[in-house]
Amino acid sequence: MSQNIPLVDLGAQHRQVADEVAAGWADILARTAFVGGPAVAAFEAEYAQYIGVEHCIGVGNGTDAIEFALRALDIGAGDEVIVQANTFIASVEAIARAGATPVLVDCVEDTALIDTDKVADAVTPRTRAILPVHLYGQAAEIEQLQANLPESIAIVEDAAQSQGARRKDAAAGALGRIAATSFYPGKNLGAYGDAGGVLTNDTELATRVRLLRDHGSPRKYEHTVLGFNSRLDALQAVVLSAKLKRLDGWNDARRRAADRYDALLKDVEGVVPPVVAPGNEPVWHLYVVRVAERDRVLAQLQADGIGASIHYPTPVHLTGAFADLGHKAGDFPITERITSEIISLPLFAEITEAQQQRVVESLVAAVQG
Ligand SMILES: *Cc1c(COP(=O)(O)O)cnc(C)c1O
């Protein structure tokens, strides 16, 4: 019997940082500084430096990070924010929660990134920001977006899936006015619970996000604006600092694994491998192939013990959550078509060549049906 192959293997990753996390946590427990404090400040400085921006503000999760980035830009009721229909629901939730109206657009077929021409068509006098999602670990084509837009429209990056990814020598998360990321456990840089961060070079925006995450409070019991409670815990900061030191190594291993899948799938008929846009150095948060008869193929992979999955099974415009945007099937044809074809194959830094061969064998057998 061969072993099951998970989509991601968080246990394998934990074993590499277990001692460092245990020591850091013992220190926090001894000092009982659980929220904020030196461990959080240290991680924020390390991550800002890693991405190449002035400020990283740790927050409670990635969805709040997007919401705070928008609120810091004073985006809310009556404003429109353009985002792609093929993303995790949180990208769009955060826009709605900030009080703004999400304006959905389609993606391009080969990369599944936001279609920059469709963005230009969707701009209205109310448009305040574009929220490109660096989906599956590769950066959106930001300079193409910027070229088509007036400067008054801010680019707010959803960098939840792109930690360490680069585009033309800049890091994803440093490409727009402000960026949001998530340190959910399954992300490339994951905490042991919920966590997120906002990234920017703009000191004024950073100050606003710091207020928003902490009850609108510049000093204890002083509340200058209406805020939230969404801070990064010290225990999570310890995990993130330990993992950040290893992130480049893990991302390199993911790239090698992606190259191996590419090679194994090169001559396989009926499987479309992922496409990387020119200028991008992705971090393969997900390795997403496209096949016909996807549901049957996926069921066969899963029956073979392979943790393949779909990201995401329902495009945002067809969810109940966004029914009030008034869309219907057919509104975003590329998104809808690829949604019916995509499969995310297991990919994590520690995946072995033998495991990948087994995934591909199962996939080939399923596709040949
Ligand atoms: C994970 C994710 C988020 C939200 O992050 P949470 O920390 O789960 O709130 C937002 N956008 C994308 C694209 C994500 O993958």
Side-chain angles (χ1 to χ4, degrees):
M1 267 301 280
S2 35
Q3 292 233 303
N4 289 354
I5 304 172
L7 184 70
V8 291
D9 187 346
L10 297 180
Q13 200 183 61
H14 173 63
R15 287 190 282 282
Q16 300 169 59
V17 292
D19 292 344
E20 203 171 326
V21 168
W25 281 10
D27 189 45
I28 303 281
L29 294 174
R31 298 198 220 187
T32 67
F34 296 118
V35 176
V40 171
F43 171 70
E44 288 175 332
E46 290 157 13
Y47 198 66
Q49 192 186 17
Y50 177 78
I51 296 295
V53 292
E54 286 289 313
H55 309 280
C56 169
I57 306 100
V59 299
N61 58 72
T63 313
D64 286 355
I66 302 169
E67 181 181 345
F68 295 169
L70 295 170
R71 284 181 181 274
L73 287 160
D74 207 19
I75 291 172
D79 297 330
E80 294 176 354
V81 177
I82 300 174
V83 62
Q84 65 220 67
N86 63 319
T87 181
F88 181 52
I89 193 90
S91 317
V92 191
E93 267 174 349
I95 296 169
R97 280 189 1 191
T101 303
V103 174
L104 301 176
V105 296
D106 216 342
C107 62
V108 286
E109 175 163 346
D110 56 355
T111 60
L113 295 170
I114 196 165
D115 184 327
T116 55
D117 293 332
K118 300 268 168 57
V119 170
D121 293 344
V123 168
T124 77
R126 290 173 182 268
T127 307
R128 292 283 318 280
I130 319 294
L131 189 90
V133 181
H134 303 318
L135 198 69
Y136 306 152
Q138 73 168 315
E141 292 168 280
I142 296 275
E143 64 299 325
Q144 250 146 280
L145 270 181
Q146 260 153 352
N148 292 338
L149 292 176
E151 249 191 65
S152 57
I153 298 179
I155 293 195
V156 179
E157 301 167 72
D158 181 339
Q161 302 192 356
S162 59
Q163 290 133 353
R166 301 186 73 79
R167 178 167 180 79
K168 302 183 174 166
D169 288 331
L175 303 170
R177 257 309 272 295
I178 189 165
T181 196
S182 163
F183 304 117
Y184 182 77
K187 308 295 189 196
N188 288 42
L189 179 62
Y192 291 169
D194 281 307
V198 179
L199 302 157
T200 185
N201 281 317
D202 186 321
T203 302
E204 211 174 299
L205 294 179
T207 302
R208 286 197 201 133
V209 173
R210 276 194 196 98
L211 288 177
L212 288 168
R213 75 169 170 183
D214 190 19
H215 302 294
S217 177
R219 274 166 296 281
K220 200 155 195 169
Y221 304 129
E222 199 178 303
H223 308 282
T224 53
V225 297
L226 184 61
F228 298 80
N229 175 1
S230 181
R231 297 164 300 208
L232 179 64
D233 290 340
L235 294 172
Q236 302 303 346
V238 165
V239 173
L240 293 169
S241 284
K243 288 191 173 184
L244 181 57
K245 292 180 208 157
R246 293 154 174 96
L247 182 60
D248 282 340
W250 289 335
N251 282 340
D252 283 344
R254 283 174 179 268
R255 285 190 194 102
R256 289 194 294 276
D259 287 347
R260 281 202 297 262
Y261 272 139
D262 283 347
L264 290 165
L265 291 169
K266 189 161 56 79
D267 300 317
V268 175
E269 218 169 294
V271 178
V272 181
V275 171
V276 176
N280 267 351
E281 202 180 305
V283 288
W284 299 103
H285 176 62
L286 292 165
Y287 187 93
V288 178
V289 299
R290 286 161 47 206
V291 297
E293 292 183 65
R294 190 271 318 280
D295 291 343
R296 183 184 61 74
V297 171
L298 180 63
Q300 196 164 325
L301 283 165
Q302 290 174 343
D304 284 348
I306 289 161
S309 188
I310 306 172
H311 297 89
Y312 295 89
T314 307
V316 171
H317 67 291
L318 301 179
T319 60
F322 287 103
D324 64 353
L325 293 180
H327 287 295
K328 56 184 186 316
D331 282 359
F332 302 108
I334 310 266
T335 290
E336 289 169 38
R337 176 143 49 78
I338 69 175
T339 295
S340 70
E341 296 174 347
I342 47 179
I343 297 183
S344 308
L345 300 182
L347 188 136
F348 43 91
E350 302 80 7
I351 196 168
T352 65
E353 194 164 352
Q355 285 177 311
Q356 290 187 270
Q357 274 162 356
R358 234 195 88 211
V359 171
V360 170
E361 269 163 37
S362 171
L363 178 63
V364 168
V367 166
Q368 290 172 351

